[in-house]
Amino acid sequence: MSWVQIPSLAPSSFLPLVKTLRPPLNARVESPRILCVGEIIWDIIGHREHLGGAPCNVAVHAARLGARAAMWSAVGRDARGRRAIEELRKLGVRWRWIDRVSHHPTGWAQVRLDEQGRASYSFAPRPAYEWLRATPTRLRAIVRWRPHAIVFGTLAQRGEATRQALGALLDRCGGALRVYDVNLRRGFAPPELLRARLCRTDVLKLNEDEATEVSRRLWGRWPGEEKAAARWREEFAIRIVIVTRGANGATAWSAEGRIDVTGLRIRLADTVGAGDAFTAAFTVAYLQTGEISWTLRVANRLGAFVASRPGATPPYPAGLLQRLGLRPTGSVRDRSRQTI
């Protein structure tokens, strides 16, 4: 998660706290095609289960923000798998590239929240999302769809099949904006995998803890934010590096220099999915405008909103998209009926 700590401050309502953001005039893609690759997980919080997994959360938020969002993942031939596909269909996410696999369960995670609302996770063993299949037919279909962006993380790449499938996809979709939201989980961050993915990354997004961990895995030390961001950009030719700090906002480094946004005053519910909302908003808004400063503020505000509500993909109140400066194309109902 990216929103590590946000203080519990009144008022509890998010919308009155911010003025409406006005988007720049140099819009590029009104309704971008965004492919999210990786885990679909049922988050078990108390006695309830909520659809989640970082790429899945990004896809749900991207669809709500007006993108044509699709998932490439796998679920088991079980009740959770059927529910996941049905839920994504209702939420307007294209689901035709979600495989049903035998002998592996749909992903789940036991979520524990501490007193500050920060989440820790225990995961299902050998889940279906570690077994993506990069068949020639599947890869051709995705290439023909021409995604404007591909969003991926690290967790699902614990599986060799998914690791190979994602690599094959990134090789064939070099024209897409490649967004690596690191999302370290279960201590899985092999340096060789990190280097391979960073070499194929245009936008790198990490929270401050992940920035330190990735630096130590790659270089054996933490050189500080400025030097780390500069080295990531130079060594791996990354276009934009983003470090999020929860209550303390976020920073982006690019050819335009350093851009900072401050944290927002909210009443914290929990941090589940806040970083995924940030990634979705940044990806959609950047594809629509190409303007980093405005995009960073949009992402920061949507992440704060999600942190102020329980769960990873809370319903959006009326007027939220307009206040963010975003206007979705078509309704969720309309998009849920479209096929790939």
Side-chain angles (χ1 to χ4, degrees):
M1 303 304 302
S2 295
W3 284 81
V4 179
Q5 183 179 5
I6 302 178
S8 299
L9 297 173
S12 59
S13 175
F14 176 79
L15 286 176
L17 297 178
V18 298
K19 296 179 179 179
T20 301
L21 284 177
R22 299 298 182 188
L25 299 178
N26 57 334
R28 301 189 302 178
V29 183
E30 182 180 355
S31 183
R33 294 181 293 274
I34 297 176
L35 176 65
C36 299
V37 183
E39 60 270 21
I40 291 175
I41 293 175
W42 285 97
D43 292 327
I44 304 171
I45 305 175
H47 299 291
R48 300 187 64 182
E49 296 191 5
H50 308 269
L51 184 63
C56 181
N57 294 336
V58 172
V60 170
H61 285 292
R64 288 176 175 172
L65 295 172
R68 289 164 284 178
M71 273 297 300
W72 183 16
S73 186
V75 296
R77 294 185 178 276
D78 50 28
R80 284 184 172 128
R82 291 191 295 273
R83 285 166 46 212
I85 291 174
E86 178 61 20
E87 188 75 10
L88 287 171
R89 186 190 67 79
K90 291 178 180 178
L91 291 168
V93 175
R94 289 160 164 79
W95 51 271
R96 299 298 178 115
W97 296 327
I98 300 175
D99 295 321
R100 304 287 299 277
V101 300
S102 303
H103 311 301
H104 297 284
T106 300
W108 55 262
Q110 189 72 49
V111 183
R112 295 175 179 83
L113 302 174
D114 65 16
E115 293 180 355
Q116 286 75 44
R118 292 174 295 190
S120 60
Y121 303 85
S122 301
F123 294 91
R126 296 174 61 83
Y129 59 74
E130 293 183 358
W131 300 86
L132 267 62
R133 296 185 298 235
T135 64
T137 300
R138 171 63 48 80
L139 292 174
R140 282 196 299 269
I142 293 175
V143 170
R144 283 198 300 267
W145 193 57
R146 298 176 62 191
H148 294 101
I150 299 171
V151 180
F152 59 95
T154 307
L155 176 61
Q157 296 184 74
R158 288 176 61 92
E160 178 66 21
T162 295
R163 195 155 59 242
Q164 295 293 335
L166 177 59
L169 175 68
L170 294 175
D171 285 342
R172 288 163 174 77
C173 293
L177 184 75
R178 297 161 298 182
V179 180
Y180 186 15
D181 187 351
V182 173
N183 265 315
L184 296 183
R185 296 286 186 272
R186 303 174 72 175
F188 179 73
E192 63 276 12
L193 174 63
L194 292 173
R195 288 191 178 93
R197 292 300 171 254
L198 290 170
C199 285
R200 291 181 171 90
T201 294
D202 299 305
V203 177
L204 173 64
K205 181 249 181 183
L206 324 88
N207 66 35
E208 53 191 343
D209 293 332
E210 291 166 344
T212 302
E213 179 67 18
V214 169
S215 294
R216 288 175 175 162
R217 298 275 180 136
L218 293 175
W219 309 316
R221 65 187 183 89
W222 169 235
E225 280 187 354
E226 290 291 338
K227 291 182 179 179
R231 187 167 177 180
W232 281 320
R233 294 188 60 241
E234 180 179 357
E235 186 172 330
F236 301 106
I238 295 173
R239 190 185 309 177
I240 304 169
V241 173
I242 302 169
V243 174
T244 59
R245 305 186 192 87
N248 296 316
T251 299
W253 291 265
S254 70
E256 300 176 13
R258 173 176 175 150
I259 300 172
D260 296 289
V261 293
T262 59
L264 298 171
R265 294 166 59 89
I266 64 165
R267 186 185 297 277
L268 176 68
D270 61 57
T271 63
V272 178
D276 307 328
F278 183 106
T279 298
F282 187 92
T283 303
V284 173
Y286 183 70
L287 289 170
Q288 289 179 334
T289 69
E291 209 285 317
I292 297 173
S293 177
W294 180 80
T295 293
L296 195 65
R297 287 188 290 155
V298 170
N300 190 50
R301 291 183 178 197
L302 186 62
F305 163 74
V306 171
S308 75
R309 301 291 194 273
T313 55
Y316 290 2
L320 177 63
L321 297 185
Q322 286 71 25
R323 287 181 178 269
L324 292 173
L326 297 170
R327 292 175 178 80
T329 302
S331 66
V332 168
R333 181 184 298 274
D334 293 336
R335 291 197 302 279
S336 70
R337 294 176 177 172
Q338 298 174 4
T339 58
I340 296 174

